[in-house]
Amino acid sequence: MHVDMRRLHETRTPVPEDVDLAGINLNLLVALDALLQESHVTRAAARVGLTQSAMSHALAQLRELLGDALLIRGRGGMVLTPRAEQLTAPLRRGLAELQRALRSEPAFEPATATRRFTVATRDYFGSVLLPSALELLGREAPGVDLSVRHVESNTYPALMESGEVDLTVVTPPVESGPGLRQQKLFTEDFVCVVRKGHPKVRRGLDLDTYLHLSHVLISPRGD
DNA sequence: TTATTTCTCTCCCAGATTAG
DNA sequence: CTAATCTGGGAGAGAAATAA
């Protein structure tokens, strides 16, 4: 897809130092979300139940309010400006949070809850934490299922922001977005164990001895 | 190159709401 | 009650893509 960068630059007007929230009604944000998801005015309009004309009005208002073209014509369709790209994820999260707040769902009751939580982690969680987690769930939340997924650590934030994953157990801590919370669970040490009378470990396993031994590296990710 | 199609933008208007 | 304002729809113009 080709975009005329000169035109993109020309369509930008100075960004207001502070966006006046009083000048934005919620419908405009819903329209903006649809526009950012679809990159297409007519489809965005259909998505939120407006006519193309009304969506075009909304886009014009958003451009005025945010001081940015947001979508510009490119070869093959409308293209998001860098500012629009920047807005996409925070707006999604904000609207989802607002929706949750307004939905006024009853508080989570473990004893009666019936749902599945998806946990993204590496094998450590499965072997060390999962047995006690399942035992605890069986006792306090019998209607709750766990689905455990093994994924790469750099994909955790995106999976959580999209709602595909509810929880990740990961080490070391990963860079997370403003809509995510993380908490340190515990610290742990590595321990080396050798049998008594090992022919190469006569005076205890000190650093020099350890370094002189042969090693096998097991790396599922190949690094 | 031209005709056609698709899509966006803009003007104008109607209905609802708000302020005086 | 009236005028102003806001929101959204209809219709037409114009730009860009596509097919012949």
Side-chain angles (χ1 to χ4, degrees):
Chain A
M1 182 183 285
H2 169 82
V3 180
D4 184 342
M5 294 306 287
R6 190 163 37 85
R7 190 176 162 208
L8 188 153
H9 179 75
E10 284 167 357
T11 55
R12 287 195 70 164
T13 51
V15 178
E17 283 185 16
D18 231 342
V19 176
D20 179 14
L21 286 178
I24 302 180
N25 72 33
L26 182 61
N27 287 340
L28 275 183
L29 297 181
V30 173
L32 177 57
D33 180 54
L35 285 163
L36 297 179
Q37 295 303 312
E38 298 287 349
S39 295
H40 192 281
V41 176
T42 302
R43 284 202 297 269
R47 186 179 178 131
V48 297
L50 291 177
T51 63
Q52 179 278 322
S53 172
M55 183 56 81
S56 184
H57 282 302
L59 177 55
Q61 283 184 69
L62 287 161
R63 283 170 169 161
E64 176 72 23
L65 279 163
L66 301 177
D68 189 273
L70 298 172
L71 282 98
I72 58 165
R73 285 178 195 256
R75 287 183 197 276
M78 300 293 273
V79 180
L80 301 189
T81 64
R83 170 88 169 123
E85 296 271 11
Q86 204 177 39
L87 280 170
T88 304
L91 182 64
R92 267 280 85 180
R93 284 197 300 275
L95 289 177
E97 186 68 26
L98 190 58
Q99 201 164 37
R100 274 194 293 277
L102 296 175
R103 212 184 285 149
S104 67
E105 284 180 340
F108 178 72
E109 293 288 347
T112 55
T114 53
R115 62 158 292 186
R116 170 167 296 180
F117 289 95
T118 302
V119 182
T121 182
R122 301 213 197 123
D123 54 357
Y124 181 83
F125 176 78
S127 56
V128 177
L129 297 179
L130 192 56
S132 50
L134 288 176
E135 194 266 325
L136 185 67
L137 283 176
R139 201 171 58 237
E140 300 196 4
V144 169
D145 283 340
L146 273 192
S147 168
V148 180
R149 288 179 57 180
H150 290 222
V151 294
E152 290 303 318
S153 58
N154 58 355
T155 63
Y156 290 146
L159 289 171
M160 292 195 69
E161 281 173 13
S162 71
E164 237 179 290
V165 163
D166 300 298
L167 170 76
T168 71
V169 181
V170 59
T171 178
V174 294
E175 201 63 35
S176 63
L180 304 179
R181 284 180 292 178
Q182 56 178 296
Q183 182 180 337
K184 181 178 173 181
L185 295 178
F186 53 85
T187 56
E188 194 168 57
D189 297 320
F190 284 102
V191 176
C192 292
V193 179
V194 296
R195 66 179 162 82
K196 275 183 183 173
H198 191 291
K200 295 200 172 180
V201 184
R202 300 196 185 286
R203 294 172 292 115
L205 185 62
D206 56 21
L207 183 60
D208 279 344
T209 308
Y210 175 79
L211 292 175
H212 278 93
L213 294 172
S214 301
H215 293 84
V216 174
L217 173 66
I218 299 174
S219 173
R221 291 179 299 153
D223 53 4

